[in-house]
Amino acid sequence: MRRIALPLVLLLIASVTTAACGPDADEEIIRIGAAVSETGRHAKGGEHVRRGYLLWEDWVNNEYGGIKVGNDRYQVELIMYDDQGDTDTTAALVERLIDEDKVDFLLGPYSSTLTQPAIEVAEERGMLLVEGSGGAETLFQQSYQNLFAVLTPAVNYTQSALRALAESGAKTIVIVHADSLFPTSVAEGAEHWAGEYGLSVLRVEAYSQDITDVTDIVSRLRDLEPDVFLGAGYFNDALLFVRAAKALDFDPAAMVLTVGPTDPALIEEVGEDANFLIGPTQWESTMSYRGAYFGSASDYAERYAAKWGGPPTYQAASGTAAALALQLAIEAAGTLNTDDVRAALRDLDASTFFGQISFDETGKNAARPMGAIQIHGGDIRVVAPPDAAVTELTYPVPGWKDR
């Protein structure tokens, strides 16, 4: 894998999060590192993940009293740098965290695309990496020994939504996706689940992950008159598709978009046009998940809002859950020895505010189903699966002029 030297300016602007005066010199310290986007195309998702990590750091140090390692308590020093949404920068920063900052463990970046170079470096150095934002199936097909992901994998993202739509009468679907790891895995899964639930796939189309205009794509798909439009991408992609669909009067009976509909920022951006959009979700505060730490999903949301001034996205919750899973494994191992903590991660079976966390042999969390939300009146409401739903799915949805 190609390595690059970090420019001096990047090192100077990198953010290192510690307590204002730092831990006392005689305190035991666990250093945990992460390369997470502050700038670049993944800045929005990276912000959520960072906040999730920082919430956990504040809680574990100042409320929980530090991670228990045998008979001792260790404070956490969380070191994070801006990967700028760039794969080479991510790899270089992870190298720096291991070689220069001497971190004990790693947490993951935002996105599968950036998790790939991060785990490549971690695997080479024998460093554990626990993450909540890289769900592409290819990450778990490479026999990595040091990758553990608390989220439901991307191939299952659309299962609950497509099942609910098929049961509501949808018959046809078009699928478009960015040509990077996570969206491609989502699209492959969507094609599978569409077949499973009797939806006829009219077209599957990839687009550049750097796209800035989706007008041509939306025009072509409008002419196919699908019941369901499914777009697998990131936040900015969701914005593009909503705006283009309205401008071109493309009115599918349902619009399913990854990442965007679960983020309140989308509602702020497009207002009433966000109503009735559907999105896969890893987690929502209304779900019934509960654990010994952070309490229920709603308890976590209240804590997050008190710290950050707004509700958490599932990306933030998965960031906190990844850090919590690492903490639980360290405590179960009773040591910072990598082999022992790795074994504890493999044995972990924990009920948490984020749902059940239990890793299979590939490092995936095999215990969690995926949910789906639909925006109703500006509110993000869980509509699937049935045991988690708080609102019935609206299908077909009103046209743009009636939202």
Side-chain angles (χ1 to χ4, degrees), residues 47-56 300 304 308 316 319-320:
E47 176 186 25
H48 297 314
V49 173
R50 280 176 169 272
R51 288 182 172 185
Y53 290 161
L54 290 169
L55 184 149
W56 170 79
Y300 173 84
Y304 184 95
W308 297 112
T320 301

Side-chain angles (χ1 to χ4, degrees), residues 41 90 151 200 264 287 300 349 358 360 376:
R41 71 184 310 268
T90 300
L151 75 172
S200 177
M287 290 178 167
Y300 173 84
D349 188 7
S358 178
D360 67 13
H376 285 207

Side-chain angles (χ1 to χ4, degrees), residues 213-219 222 237-250 255 400:
D213 186 348
V214 297
T215 302
D216 288 345
I217 296 174
V218 172
S219 294
R222 179 190 58 188
D237 304 27
L239 280 177
L240 290 173
F241 280 118
V242 170
R243 288 168 173 163
K246 182 179 182 180
L248 295 171
D249 200 27
F250 174 39
M255 241 181 134
W400 295 108

Side-chain angles (χ1 to χ4, degrees), residues 37-381:
S37 301
E38 285 185 90
T39 58
R41 71 184 310 268
H42 293 306
K44 176 62 70 174
E47 176 186 25
H48 297 314
V49 173
R50 280 176 169 272
R51 288 182 172 185
Y53 290 161
L54 290 169
L55 184 149
W56 170 79
E57 180 196 30
D58 179 57
W59 169 82
V60 78
N61 284 337
N62 301 317
E63 187 172 331
Y64 185 68
I67 296 178
K68 300 174 185 177
V69 184
N71 295 322
D72 299 320
R73 290 273 190 169
Y74 282 63
Q75 290 284 291
V76 170
E77 181 183 347
L78 182 57
I79 305 171
M80 294 195 289
Y81 297 117
D82 177 16
D83 60 34
Q84 302 178 325
D86 178 74
T87 54
D88 284 340
T89 302
T90 300
L93 288 172
V94 173
E95 287 184 342
R96 182 187 185 211
L97 286 163
I98 296 171
D99 296 343
E100 299 181 32
D101 296 310
K102 305 297 183 183
V103 297
D104 299 292
F105 303 101
L106 293 167
L107 295 172
Y110 175 75
S111 87
S112 297
T113 299
L114 301 179
T115 300
Q116 181 68 58
I119 187 55
E120 286 176 1
V121 175
E123 192 76 7
E124 289 175 0
R125 309 300 177 84
M127 178 71 63
L128 292 172
L129 187 150
V130 185
E131 54 102 354
S133 296
E137 191 66 23
T138 54
L139 288 169
F140 309 103
Q141 295 173 338
Q142 300 179 60
S143 301
Y144 292 132
Q145 299 301 302
N146 295 300
L147 177 65
F148 295 87
V150 299
L151 75 172
T152 304
V155 293
N156 292 335
Y157 258 55
T158 61
Q159 181 180 6
S160 291
L162 294 187
R163 177 192 289 156
L165 288 167
E167 290 174 350
S168 297
K171 300 297 183 185
T172 60
I173 185 172
V174 293
I175 302 168
V176 297
H177 65 93
D179 59 358
S180 57
L181 289 178
F182 164 74
T184 300
S185 284
V186 171
E188 290 171 350
E191 193 169 4
H192 166 79
W193 295 118
E196 191 78 8
Y197 300 129
L199 293 168
S200 177
V201 179
L202 303 181
R203 179 171 296 173
V204 179
E205 184 170 334
Y207 60 86
S208 168
Q209 64 176 327
D210 299 317
I211 199 166
T212 58
D213 186 348
V214 297
T215 302
D216 288 345
I217 296 174
V218 172
S219 294
R220 289 194 297 273
L221 299 179
R222 179 190 58 188
D223 294 342
L224 297 176
E225 299 184 350
D227 294 332
V228 179
F229 169 90
L230 191 148
Y234 295 99
F235 182 85
N236 289 338
D237 304 27
L239 280 177
L240 290 173
F241 280 118
V242 170
R243 288 168 173 163
K246 182 179 182 180
L248 295 171
D249 200 27
F250 174 39
D251 268 329
M255 241 181 134
V256 182
L257 299 165
T258 59
V259 181
T262 58
D263 191 333
L266 183 73
I267 301 170
E268 295 175 9
E269 288 276 359
V270 302
E272 292 181 350
D273 292 340
N275 282 326
F276 304 109
L277 295 176
I278 298 167
T281 185
Q282 292 279 350
W283 176 92
E284 295 297 328
S285 64
T286 56
M287 290 178 167
S288 59
Y289 300 143
R290 173 179 291 276
Y293 307 104
F294 296 103
S296 67
S298 61
D299 291 336
Y300 173 84
E302 289 179 9
R303 179 186 292 270
Y304 184 95
K307 182 174 179 63
W308 297 112
T313 63
Y314 75 73
Q315 293 91 343
S318 67
T320 301
L324 178 61
L326 176 58
Q327 171 198 333
L328 295 177
I330 293 169
E331 293 188 341
T335 174
L336 300 186
N337 177 270
T338 296
D339 291 339
D340 292 335
V341 177
R342 183 189 299 109
L345 283 165
R346 295 201 184 284
D347 291 339
L348 186 65
D349 188 7
S351 298
T352 77
F353 76 95
F354 190 66
Q356 202 70 14
I357 299 177
S358 178
F359 302 109
D360 67 13
E361 65 279 2
T362 70
K364 288 186 294 192
N365 186 2
R368 295 183 71 257
M370 195 73 181
I373 63 92
Q374 188 173 45
I375 299 172
H376 285 207
D379 293 329
I380 297 170
R381 309 292 298 238

